[in-house]
Amino acid sequence: MMHGSPSRVSAWIARFTPLLPAGGCVLDLACGGGRHTRHLLDAGYRVVAVDRDVSAVAPLVAAHDGRLEVLEVDLEDGSPFPLRARRFDGIVVTNYLHRPLLADLVAGLAPGGVLLYETFAVGNERFGPPTNPDFLLRPGELLDLAHPRLRVVAYEDVTVDGDHPACVQRVAAVAPGA
Ligand SMILES: C[S@@+](CC[C@H](N)C(=O)[O-])C[C@H]1O[C@@H](n2cnc3c(N)ncnc32)[C@H](O)[C@@H]1O
């Protein structure tokens, strides 16, 4: 279940995109339809877009002059994180949670790199999917992931009203040593 429009850029990601080092290389993990891959490319970043289904983003490669790398991979098959050897200036994750990867995401930030993460949290069960606790952040979980390893610029643990109510956590955090 998507929080927000499947095509519209998350307001959280849009708000904190300027934190990402200009022209840097940003990982869009579980990129799905590519709303943030497109947004980041439009903002001048290099992007590594990863998903088990890259059919929406693969067609963008040709038009982006070497700035888009697409990786089709199952992130949950028990293998080590496939990008463990890489460091990113930014990592964007929205509406996706696979807990075994969380530590790799923090470790995958280059000095000064920025983590922008937004996904569903416990409490969302009353609104609909996802309801599986494996896919729902526990109270404070994103904050605990970031702090104190990263400098937390912003964190929210909120219930969103409107047409598509949901419980979400969001963090924007910067790795030391820029
Ligand atoms: C709800 S969508 C979110 C897509 C995108 N991040 C967004 O917010 O627009 C979840 C994404 O996770 C991907 N995904 C789920 N399980 C995966 C796995 N085992 N390996 C890689 N990608 C996976 C799905 O293919 C899907 O694109």
Side-chain angles (χ1 to χ4, degrees), residues 78-115:
S79 304
F81 182 50
L83 297 164
R84 201 168 259 188
R86 308 265 302 258
R87 293 294 175 270
F88 296 94
D89 301 304
I91 298 179
V92 169
V93 192
T94 56
N95 296 351
Y96 179 74
L97 177 63
H98 182 55
R99 284 194 170 83
L101 301 180
L102 291 176
D104 286 305
L105 299 183
V106 173
L109 291 170
V114 176
L115 176 66

Side-chain angles (χ1 to χ4, degrees), residues 1-3 5-8 28-36 50-53 73-77 92-96 120:
M1 173 62 66
M2 183 79 58
H3 164 58
S5 160
S7 57
R8 195 172 305 157
D28 185 3
L29 190 80
C31 63
R35 59 183 175 143
H36 297 130
V50 177
D51 204 287
R52 67 181 172 193
D53 175 1
V73 64
D74 183 351
L75 293 163
E76 302 175 18
D77 68 359
V92 169
V93 192
T94 56
N95 296 351
Y96 179 74
F120 299 95

